Amino acid sequence: MNGNGRNGSTLQDVQAMYGMGPSLDAPTTAPPYAPPSKNDILDMCQQHYDDVVPLRLRMEGDYNRYRLTSHVNRDNVTGEVLKNYAVYTSPRWRTFADKLISWQNLAKLLIRVPHVEAGQHEEKADNHKERFAIGSFRAADDRLRRLQQPSLRSQQSFYATVRGGYIGGRALLVNRPDDSCYADITAWDPMHIHWGLGQDGLAWGAYRVKKTRQQIRDEYGYDLLDGRTGFSFPFFRSKRGSTDAEREGLWVVDWYDGIVNTVVADNKTLKEPTPHGSPRVPVYLSLVGAQPVLQSENASNLVAETGESSFAGTREIGDKINSIMSIFLEIVERARRQTIITESREGKKGLTGDPYKDATTIPIATGDKIYTLELQKMAVETMAFM
């Protein structure tokens, strides 16, 4: 099978393989396969992007919880952001997610091909299938480590726990120019997977991520600045742009259907439709959790609850705990520098210097008073609530 590589069979070979080309013995009953145009591909991806906006917003919010984005204090009535107050952000959500990820990584992975067709083939054929699967996963992990990425299992565990939604990626044997091949099993970020369903499953799948111009030139031999093709020296680094894909990258769509793979970026085709050699769409996609996609007469954004992450039951209470702990922290910090009240006959007497920072002798007249304002206290029910 030919995956993301640049060598492969022609469309005519694939048409003949699937009986889609013209036949000399019988009239053609179906038109030959024609891959979609780049505009059709971009339209399909954009439509799916628009359809799952609530799900993507939920994924962004959950990832902010995992990366411990600072809590924002708000007024309970107006919703106004309260500035210049102490902020507490609990680490418990990340700790909980990391524990789930660790359990998944440490669990024993069993690969079994049951010998259910006794007599039709030897049992060792099923054993060879198991060895092939084990070797493919190991080779894929070795490739990911060379690319400075976590193992396949680690990535999938992270996506299932923090992102939720649909776990997916591509799985192919990719041909090299020297006729060797390698296992390309690549996990995709659920936020950037787009797909369409047919009668029997996936009709197409795509991955839309940012890549720098240098990455595009190295991988596809296409210079988006001048439109030239031709591969650069592998270790050359262009001075015409950043190597930070998130900051200065271009959106690249890696698109697959049941026959071809093509790549589009910046409204240009980086890789012409090329048969990938797989008998099906070489993209795996699995829903996280047991809840199916539902419809309701009272809600219009149920897609946001598809494939819930590990934070599903703690989002609202987590924000409340952060708010309460922020109030705790504010009160505790005020004890360090309490408000000082001075009483005098003229009402103009004040302190020079900071009595909390330097030892100070304060002369006062008879009848004058200096004292601190009583600190605020938490509601007596606070600890019971916590």
Side-chain angles (χ1 to χ4, degrees), residues 208-221:
R208 181 175 176 267
V209 291
K210 286 184 175 180
K211 292 186 179 182
T212 65
R213 288 181 170 86
Q214 181 63 46
Q215 289 174 322
I216 293 172
R217 185 162 49 248
D218 290 343
E219 189 169 354
Y220 301 105

Side-chain angles (χ1 to χ4, degrees), residues 73-147:
N73 292 321
R74 294 183 181 276
D75 186 279
N76 290 334
V77 178
T78 64
E80 180 185 358
V81 176
L82 303 177
K83 300 180 180 180
N84 302 321
Y85 288 94
V87 175
Y88 176 87
T89 303
S90 174
R92 67 181 66 189
W93 320 125
R94 179 160 189 155
T95 302
F96 175 64
D98 284 342
K99 182 178 292 187
L100 295 180
I101 294 171
S102 176
W103 286 345
Q104 294 173 73
N105 284 329
L106 296 177
K108 188 174 183 180
L109 178 63
L110 298 178
I111 299 177
R112 294 289 183 267
V113 180
H115 185 59
V116 296
E117 299 177 351
Q120 297 189 22
H121 64 270
E122 296 184 10
E123 184 176 356
K124 65 180 181 181
D126 294 326
N127 296 336
H128 290 326
K129 294 176 184 177
E130 293 176 0
R131 295 189 183 97
F132 175 77
I134 293 171
S136 296
F137 282 127
R138 187 173 300 168
D141 282 344
D142 290 342
R143 176 175 173 272
L144 289 172
R145 291 189 185 97
R146 291 195 298 272
L147 295 173

Side-chain angles (χ1 to χ4, degrees), residues 156-195:
Q156 299 289 44
S157 299
F158 174 85
Y159 290 143
T161 303
V162 178
R163 290 288 206 205
Y166 293 85
I167 298 304
R170 69 166 180 262
L172 282 167
L173 290 176
V174 181
N175 295 327
R176 293 190 179 97
D178 61 359
D179 294 331
S180 63
C181 67
Y182 63 90
D184 178 10
I185 308 176
T186 303
W188 288 350
D189 184 344
M191 262 195 65
H192 305 297
I193 302 177
H194 304 292
W195 72 92

Side-chain angles (χ1 to χ4, degrees), residues 217-292:
R217 185 162 49 248
D218 290 343
E219 189 169 354
Y220 301 105
Y222 195 101
D223 193 331
L224 291 174
L225 291 177
D226 52 25
R228 294 179 301 178
T229 59
F231 293 95
S232 60
F233 187 71
F235 302 105
F236 171 74
R237 287 296 174 264
S238 172
K239 296 181 180 179
R240 291 178 288 183
S242 170
T243 58
D244 186 346
E246 187 174 8
R247 186 178 64 181
E248 294 192 10
L250 299 171
W251 287 107
V252 177
V253 178
D254 188 11
W255 189 90
Y256 299 82
D257 69 358
I259 296 179
V260 300
N261 162 232
T262 185
V263 181
V264 179
D266 198 27
N267 205 31
K268 298 180 177 64
T269 301
L270 304 183
K271 177 182 177 183
E272 295 295 335
T274 306
H276 49 63
S278 173
R280 61 187 64 84
V281 181
V283 173
Y284 62 91
L285 197 66
S286 179
L287 176 65
V288 175
Q291 178 177 318

Side-chain angles (χ1 to χ4, degrees), residues 34-80:
S37 67
K38 67 175 183 295
N39 290 332
D40 291 337
I41 290 173
L42 294 176
D43 288 344
M44 287 187 286
C45 292
Q46 185 62 45
Q47 182 61 58
H48 185 269
Y49 178 95
D50 295 338
D51 291 342
V52 297
V53 165
L55 178 60
R56 297 178 72 258
L57 292 177
R58 191 206 77 194
M59 290 181 179
E60 282 283 21
D62 286 347
Y63 182 57
N64 286 337
R65 289 179 175 84
Y66 179 79
R67 65 196 294 257
L68 302 181
T69 299
S70 182
H71 174 70
V72 177
N73 292 321
R74 294 183 181 276
D75 186 279
N76 290 334
V77 178
T78 64
E80 180 185 358

